[in-house]
Amino acid sequence: MKLLTDLEAIKTLTEAKLANRQITGVEAGAVDYRSVMVCGGTGCTSSDSNKIIAALNKEIAGHGIEDKVEVVRTGCFGLCELGPVVIVYPEGVFYSRVEVKDIPDLVEGHLLNNKPLDRLVYEKTKADGKIHNFEETDFFRKQKRIALRNCGVIDPEVIDEYISQDGYKALGKVLMTMSRQQVIDTVKQSGLRGRGGGGFTTGVKWQFAADQDKAQKYMICNADEGDPGAFMDRSILEGDPHSVIEAMAIAGYAIGADQGFVYVRAEYPIAVQRLMKAIKQAREYGLLGDNILGTGFKFDIDVRLGAGAFVCGEETALMNSIEGRRGMPNPKPPFPAVEGLWGQPSVINNVETLANIAPIVLRGADWYSGIGTEKSKGTKVFALGGKVVNTGLVEVPMGITLREVIFEIGGGIPNGKKFKAVQTGGPSGGCLTEEHLDCTIDFDTLTSLGSMMGSGGMIVMDEDTCMVDVARFYLDFTRDESCGKCTPCRVGTKRLLEMLDKITEGKGTIQDLDDMERLSNTIKNASLCALGQTAPNPVLSTLKFFREEYMAHIVDQKCPSGVCKSLISYTIDPELCRGCSLCARKCPNNAISGKVKEPYVIDTVACIKCGVCFDVCKFKAVAIV
């Protein structure tokens, strides 16, 4: 067993190694030792970052410079659209879209001859004829990384590297110097609210469980992240699994639990593998198990794999699944903190919430509460996606505006298109418009606008997006994911989707709009759990802010964005057509005819509206009407 003094020794030894992963501002020629950090998150791994690591090690060994370079597989850096990502320290040179074939040139040019490989350097880091470090870019400048503090910095599969970043120091402080109530009071005073969607005050939840006079209690981590486009929790588990383990042990101590469970999606194989490895390492170091750090505190963690049911993100459904029952929610009260897993007091926090705990313990409640707004403290991690230049993972202080995130950090809308809307909170959230861009991002503001923070999905839409189709997409998702236990959700979402289908097919009526609003409010008020209660949000928000689009589908029988197939047709402008025949050759249904060098014609009866002709025409002769 390694005691606290052993951890300090590990920290001291490993700190020297990690000191090479700091941007120092030195010129390339003055560098004696380099750290080459390769993203090992799911996105970059799917783009063969493992092969890049193997190629780097082989090339470095071939040049005999193993003593001057380390290659490290890390967690997500954030700029997922640019993957595979490689960052070279201490210069902080950011390489994007690296391929195996580039490695010989990168090693010889940068690592051997101190000349960064210009063709792979991220364009936004180039200015004034120089290559600047990536932290100076708009994407990183306004971020404040707390939950993501170690992602991209350490090897998540090496516990010593986590320890070198003050890892498990908070657990030691708690066990050695703080009472259970002092820990709870610190989390309360920090103002930390749950990052899983509900925004309930974390310290209050811990207090409820601690106050229960029961011998057995449980600490549960909800890693069942299921929102379309969301990958915040997965990235933390992939890049910094020990931060969750340490926080669960701290929470276990605070509430009086000796057993923890991480409920994680089986479809997150990299996260699961690294989490399991981290738990094993923590046990070997005496940081889980009996008599942790020699204090007599006992706590251990097991992993339970979820099968991918969105409803299991709801805490009572999650607990039913852990117990081996069908993942369906229970009526509340009693709340889990009073009567949860196997009828015992249980606290459930999601991954991002837990990732904030150790820094709060180490740096104090006042430090954390000094970040953010009056009622929304700290930072929030968002998965920024959709029609935005810089898609990826960002962590920003609460109180930042939507405009700053989308247009400064996100880089704005690509291809010169206009911003139209942003969906926050995933299927449970709502669509906000251009008039909301200067609104602050916090729990209460987003809720007051008809959206919500949710777990942190943020999908940006441009002028080519049909908002009726967006509402239909999210309703289709929640209809499929409804567990079926309560009638308002099971039947209501189905009927709501049928109305949306009618409208996108050109069969809707104005009466349908009133019926949709009425049904949406019924579903919200009568559903058993938050899945049903929030399912109508995309419909209600689009009806409120984009009603004219619904009217165009119903009255004009047109989809203004040209998305709904039943309401569009394709035509070829004879003035623009050059008779190249490309559209006819690519048409999968032979619906286009004509002679070479003469205008072609589309048979609207045979046309299946796939849009191939529109995509391939080089002369913009194909139009959507």
Side-chain angles (χ1 to χ4, degrees):
M1 177 189 296
K2 295 184 180 294
L3 301 178
L4 200 57
T5 52
D6 300 310
L7 298 183
E8 287 295 335
I10 292 170
K11 173 177 166 60
T12 302
L13 288 172
T14 316
E15 271 181 335
K17 176 183 176 183
L18 266 65
N20 296 301
R21 303 177 196 173
Q22 304 291 324
I23 296 172
T24 62
V26 299
E27 295 294 329
V31 176
D32 296 321
Y33 188 91
R34 287 189 174 93
S35 296
V36 181
M37 318 297 286
V38 183
C39 178
T42 293
C44 288
T45 298
S46 66
S47 299
D48 291 332
S49 65
N50 286 336
K51 292 182 180 179
I52 289 170
I53 291 170
L56 276 166
N57 285 323
K58 181 180 178 180
E59 198 72 19
I60 289 167
H63 287 284
I65 54 172
E66 301 98 320
D67 60 333
K68 296 182 179 180
V69 182
E70 65 166 345
V71 178
V72 183
R73 179 190 288 106
T74 73
C76 179
F77 291 110
L79 270 168
C80 304
E81 191 268 337
L82 297 176
V85 171
V86 175
I87 296 181
V88 179
Y89 288 98
E91 302 100 310
V93 176
F94 189 112
Y95 290 114
S96 63
R97 300 191 179 96
V98 180
E99 298 181 43
V100 172
K101 65 182 181 181
D102 299 315
I103 299 306
D105 290 343
L106 192 153
V107 171
E108 184 172 353
H110 191 158
L111 305 184
L112 282 174
N113 295 310
N114 302 313
K115 295 179 180 178
L117 192 59
D118 187 74
R119 73 171 188 267
L120 295 179
V121 173
Y122 177 37
E123 284 297 323
K124 297 291 179 66
T125 63
K126 297 178 183 179
D128 307 321
K130 296 181 180 180
I131 296 174
H132 299 265
N133 76 69
F134 68 94
E135 291 181 348
E136 297 177 16
T137 63
D138 288 337
F139 182 81
F140 289 101
R141 189 181 298 121
K142 285 199 171 184
Q143 290 195 51
K144 185 174 183 63
R145 291 193 155 203
I146 298 175
L148 299 178
R149 61 192 178 277
N150 291 325
C151 292
V153 176
I154 65 172
D155 183 337
E157 298 188 22
V158 179
I159 188 173
D160 288 4
E161 295 204 359
Y162 178 72
I163 292 171
S164 73
Q165 299 294 97
D166 287 332
Y168 292 105
K169 185 175 181 179
L171 178 60
K173 176 181 178 180
V174 162
L175 297 182
M176 303 287 187
T177 68
M178 299 176 72
S179 68
R180 299 179 189 276
Q181 190 58 50
Q182 284 176 324
V183 177
I184 294 172
D185 288 342
T186 298
V187 176
K188 278 184 185 178
Q189 292 160 13
S190 73
L192 176 66
R193 294 172 65 174
R195 299 304 197 248
F200 192 79
T201 305
T202 304
V204 172
K205 183 185 287 189
W206 288 16
Q207 186 73 68
F208 285 154
D211 289 344
Q212 304 308 306
D213 187 18
K214 295 288 185 70
Q216 182 63 63
K217 299 177 184 178
Y218 296 103
M219 179 63 212
I220 304 169
C221 171
N222 180 356
D224 191 64
E225 184 177 51
D227 291 14
F231 50 95
M232 300 76 62
D233 291 352
R234 179 180 66 187
S235 295
I236 292 171
L237 286 177
E238 289 175 351
D240 195 16
H242 285 284
S243 66
V244 175
I245 295 169
E246 181 178 16
M248 289 183 70
I250 291 170
Y253 170 77
I255 69 172
D258 62 6
Q259 179 63 50
F261 291 95
V262 180
Y263 186 88
V264 58
R265 290 195 159 216
E267 61 212 59
Y268 288 176
I270 297 175
V272 171
Q273 176 256 318
R274 290 180 184 164
L275 175 64
M276 298 288 280
K277 188 169 186 176
I279 290 173
K280 182 174 182 291
Q281 291 172 340
R283 286 174 180 153
E284 291 172 350
Y285 273 51
L287 298 165
L288 287 177
D290 297 330
N291 195 28
I292 295 174
L293 296 175
T295 63
F297 173 57
K298 175 184 177 182
F299 186 79
D300 207 351
I301 297 173
D302 288 327
V303 175
R304 294 291 183 267
L305 302 182
F310 181 63
V311 73
C312 284
E314 196 278 336
E315 53 189 8
T316 60
L318 183 153
M319 291 187 297
N320 281 328
S321 182
I322 290 178
E323 292 176 8
R325 298 200 293 263
R326 184 175 176 182
M328 301 173 77
N330 299 331
K332 293 182 286 190
F335 292 95
V338 176
E339 186 177 316
L341 191 63
W342 289 297
Q344 303 303 318
S346 307
V347 165
I348 302 180
N349 294 132
N350 87 318
V351 170
E352 185 186 342
T353 307
L354 291 169
N356 285 282
I357 295 298
I360 289 172
V361 170
L362 288 178
R363 304 185 68 173
D366 290 344
W367 162 76
Y368 192 81
S369 64
I371 304 166
T373 66
E374 182 181 355
K375 295 183 179 179
S376 298
K377 304 297 186 181
T379 60
K380 181 72 188 80
V381 181
F382 288 98
L384 186 61
K387 302 297 181 67
V388 65
V389 173
N390 298 327
T391 58
L393 203 64
V394 304
E395 184 173 3
V396 292
M398 293 281 197
I400 197 171
T401 65
L402 286 166
R403 186 184 301 278
E404 290 174 282
V405 173
I406 296 168
F407 287 92
E408 295 184 35
I409 296 173
I413 315 302
N415 304 317
K417 298 287 185 177
K418 293 181 180 178
F419 169 84
K420 187 171 187 177
V422 58
Q423 172 89 3
T424 65
S428 302
C431 295
L432 303 178
T433 68
E434 188 172 14
E435 68 179 272
H436 303 119
L437 284 174
D438 293 312
C439 293
T440 58
I441 297 174
D442 60 70
F443 288 103
D444 301 321
T445 298
L446 293 179
T447 301
S448 70
L449 296 173
S451 188
M452 64 184 298
M453 185 82 71
S455 59
M458 186 179 288
I459 308 299
V460 181
M461 305 165 208
D462 68 10
E463 60 190 87
D464 295 333
T465 304
C466 172
M467 303 311 296
V468 182
D469 184 64
V470 167
R472 191 207 61 78
F473 167 80
Y474 282 116
L475 248 294
D476 186 43
F477 177 84
T478 49
R479 186 276 312 267
D480 283 347
E481 294 294 337
S482 173
C483 74
K485 186 171 183 177
C486 73
T487 303
C489 181
R490 181 184 69 249
V491 179
T493 54
K494 181 176 175 62
R495 296 292 173 256
L496 201 53
L497 180 61
E498 288 171 353
M499 294 181 195
L500 287 166
D501 283 337
K502 275 180 60 182
I503 294 172
T504 57
E505 291 167 4
K507 301 174 184 177
T509 66
I510 293 177
Q511 181 62 42
D512 287 331
L513 301 185
D514 293 333
D515 291 343
M516 285 168 59
E517 284 191 82
R518 200 159 38 246
L519 179 56
S520 292
N521 288 319
T522 299
I523 296 170
K524 284 177 70 73
N525 294 329
S527 291
L528 176 61
C529 80
L531 186 151
Q533 292 162 9
T534 58
N537 281 349
V539 178
L540 290 171
S541 63
T542 52
L543 277 171
K544 180 178 180 181
F545 298 123
F546 298 96
R547 198 175 189 89
E548 72 281 358
E549 286 201 32
Y550 283 90
M551 296 299 291
H553 283 68
I554 294 169
V555 178
D556 302 331
Q557 294 286 289
K558 295 288 184 183
C559 175
S561 302
V563 172
C564 301
K565 287 185 177 182
S566 298
L567 298 177
I568 64 172
S569 59
Y570 291 88
T571 184
I572 297 177
D573 187 338
E575 297 294 326
L576 297 176
C577 180
R578 297 293 181 267
C580 70
S581 80
L582 180 61
C583 60
R585 286 183 278 123
K586 294 291 185 180
C587 179
N589 208 41
N590 299 317
I592 303 177
S593 59
K595 295 181 180 180
V596 176
K597 296 185 179 180
E598 293 182 12
Y600 276 66
V601 178
I602 297 175
D603 181 349
T604 55
V605 176
C607 177
I608 60 173
K609 303 177 182 179
C610 64
V612 170
C613 56
F614 182 85
D615 294 334
V616 301
C617 182
K618 300 176 181 178
F619 307 103
K620 298 184 178 180
V622 181
I624 300 173
V625 295

